[in-house]
Amino acid sequence: MSRNHNNMNLITTFKAGHRYMKLCPMDKQLTHSFPELKIINHIKTANKYLPPIIIGLLLWQYFMPAQIAVTIITILFTLSMPLQGIFWLGKRALSPLPLNLIDCYNQLKLKLIAKKIIAENSTDDNKLTFEAFMNIINLAKLHLGDYFGQNDDSSPYYKD
């Protein structure tokens, strides 16, 4: 029974990783604050370039007198890299927000409530996860603009 629970937990984590990868906004402004944006970029790059690398490894095995075990281990390691990234994203998506981001989450949520974009009791406050935070960031970016509701005169980049 415990083994089945672990398999379901693994599948749930991978599904959360895929959801989180689709959910995260790929903004350069957020890249410095959230390492998952770099991980997502690496996963997408790996998915693009891994098939030719694996074909190259297979051709290397065919034309060079290499041991089959070395080639298989190299291919398995190469295939596992994006899976490790997706698993990490799933763990990150389901992990609770740190204290320094809870204030930012609450400020964005209050701005969205003030503009009547979300209802006051629309989300469960007991589950403040990174996935919920990215949902709020996406809503804020969509409805409040690039600086999440700051007026042009209060923007840190605004100069007279």
Side-chain angles (χ1 to χ4, degrees):
M1 174 112 182
S2 132
R3 183 173 174 91
N4 190 20
H5 182 272
N6 287 339
N7 287 340
M8 290 304 291
N9 191 18
L10 185 69
I11 292 169
T12 304
T13 305
F14 273 107
K15 286 182 180 179
H18 274 287
R19 247 189 351 259
Y20 194 59
M21 193 163 70
K22 292 177 184 174
L23 180 67
C24 287
M26 297 305 288
D27 291 341
K28 290 190 183 250
Q29 299 165 342
L30 300 174
T31 304
H32 300 292
S33 302
F34 298 102
E36 54 263 34
L37 301 179
K38 292 177 184 175
I39 299 292
I40 291 170
N41 192 18
H42 292 313
I43 291 171
K44 288 180 179 178
T45 303
N47 286 339
K48 183 178 179 181
Y49 292 113
L50 275 184
I53 290 173
I54 291 173
I55 290 172
L57 287 171
L58 289 172
L59 289 174
W60 174 54
Q61 169 62 36
Y62 182 74
F63 288 114
M64 302 295 240
Q67 294 180 353
I68 188 76
V70 172
T71 305
I72 290 173
I73 290 172
T74 306
I75 289 172
L76 288 176
F77 175 73
T78 307
L79 287 174
S80 75
M81 290 169 46
L83 294 176
Q84 292 173 30
I86 293 170
F87 185 76
W88 183 84
L89 287 172
K91 287 285 195 185
R92 176 83 167 184
L94 300 174
S95 64
L97 276 178
L99 294 175
N100 60 343
L101 290 178
I102 290 175
D103 187 42
C104 183
Y105 175 89
N106 288 331
Q107 287 177 2
L108 288 175
K109 186 176 175 183
L110 288 174
K111 287 179 183 180
L112 290 170
I113 289 171
K115 294 224 179 213
K116 297 182 181 177
I117 296 167
I118 60 173
E120 200 164 328
N121 55 1
S122 65
T123 58
D124 188 14
D125 288 336
N126 294 334
K127 296 184 179 182
L128 290 179
T129 62
F130 277 94
E131 188 172 9
F133 186 58
M134 287 299 166
N135 276 325
I136 288 287
I137 285 178
N138 281 333
L139 279 173
K141 185 148 180 59
L142 182 66
H143 295 287
L144 302 176
D146 283 342
Y147 299 111
F148 304 120
Q150 293 178 350
N151 296 330
D152 285 336
D153 56 345
S154 67
S155 170
Y157 303 107
Y158 181 77
K159 300 286 184 208
D160 280 325

